[in-house]
Amino acid sequence: VTRPFPHPLYLSDGRDDEDRPVLWARIDNGKTEGKKIYLASLHLPTLRGEEQNPPVRDLSSRQIEILEVTLGLSHSAVRNIDELGSKLRVYFLKHIISQTKRIEEYWQDENGCVFILAGDFNFRHNQTTDEETVLKTRGFIPAKTQGFTRPGNRLIDNIWVKGATAVEWRVEGEDCPIEE
C-alpha cells in the first residue's frame, strides 16, 4: 500500500496484552478487470474473562487501562468485560474501515476497489452485535452467516467483502455461495 495509514497495522490489547497483526495485501493476478483488490488478514482482540460475563467491577488493571486510555471511556460506559471487548473490537474495526476509505480516496477509480477482511473477528456473526452493525453499515457483507467455527456453535472466523458481488466459494469440495 503506497500511502501511510492513519493507524498502526497492529491491533493491541488482545487477551489484554497480545499484539494482533493486521496484514494488508493488494491482489493482482491480471484478471481483476481493473478492480483494485485488497485483502486484510486480521485477528480482532478478545479480553480475559470474555464469555464468562464478569461485572465491570472485576476488570483487571490492564482492562481498566484499555477502558480509560485506549477507548477513553468511563466505568459507567460498560457493564461487563464482554461489553468492553465488543467496544475494543469496534474501535479497531473503525480504524480498518478508515484505512479502506483512504485507499478508495487515493485511487478514485471508476473500476472501484474490493476489500476482503478475513480472519478471526471474535464476535458472533448473524446476531445484532455492534461489530456486525459497523461492518454492514459500511457496506461489508459476510461470506458466511450460518454454521460455526468454534466449539459452542460460535461463528467467529469469517470473511467480509465490500465492493464485489456474490461469488462461489469452495469449502471442502462443496459449493458455498456468499449470502447477501
Side-chain angles (χ1 to χ4, degrees), residues 37-158:
I37 301 175
Y38 290 89
L39 168 69
S41 175
L42 56 87
H43 189 167
L44 294 179
T46 56
L47 299 177
R48 282 184 175 81
E50 275 194 77
E51 297 184 30
Q52 299 162 13
N53 217 18
V56 72
R57 70 175 179 272
D58 293 341
L59 293 179
S60 70
S61 60
R62 179 67 177 123
Q63 291 167 343
I64 292 169
E65 181 181 335
I66 291 166
L67 177 70
E68 295 175 350
V69 178
T70 304
L71 300 177
L73 299 173
S74 68
H75 286 267
S76 62
V78 296
R79 291 176 294 195
N80 53 50
I81 292 173
D82 290 16
E83 283 186 16
L84 178 59
S86 176
K87 288 184 183 304
L88 185 62
R89 287 185 290 277
V90 166
Y91 170 83
F92 285 119
L93 282 171
K94 286 180 177 180
H95 283 287
I96 291 167
I97 289 165
S98 172
Q99 293 169 356
T100 66
K101 287 180 182 179
R102 291 211 38 204
I103 291 169
E104 286 175 319
E105 289 169 5
Y106 177 78
W107 287 110
Q108 295 182 2
D109 189 329
E110 68 276 355
N111 293 320
C113 295
V114 174
F115 296 98
I116 303 166
L117 307 180
D120 190 343
F121 288 83
N122 277 316
F123 66 88
R124 293 176 190 245
H125 299 284
N126 207 26
Q127 293 185 5
T128 305
T129 63
D130 292 341
E131 298 95 329
E132 185 165 290
T133 299
V134 164
L135 287 165
K136 285 184 174 179
T137 59
R138 282 10 180 245
F140 285 89
I141 58 169
K144 189 170 183 165
T145 58
Q146 308 226 344
F148 57 91
T149 58
R150 181 166 177 217
N153 295 330
R154 289 193 61 198
L155 175 60
I156 61 171
D157 301 314
N158 212 336

Side-chain angles (χ1 to χ4, degrees), residues 155-171:
L155 175 60
I156 61 171
D157 301 314
N158 212 336
I159 300 168
W160 287 74
V161 180
K162 177 183 177 185
T165 58
V167 297
E168 295 277 320
W169 295 83
R170 300 282 292 169
V171 177

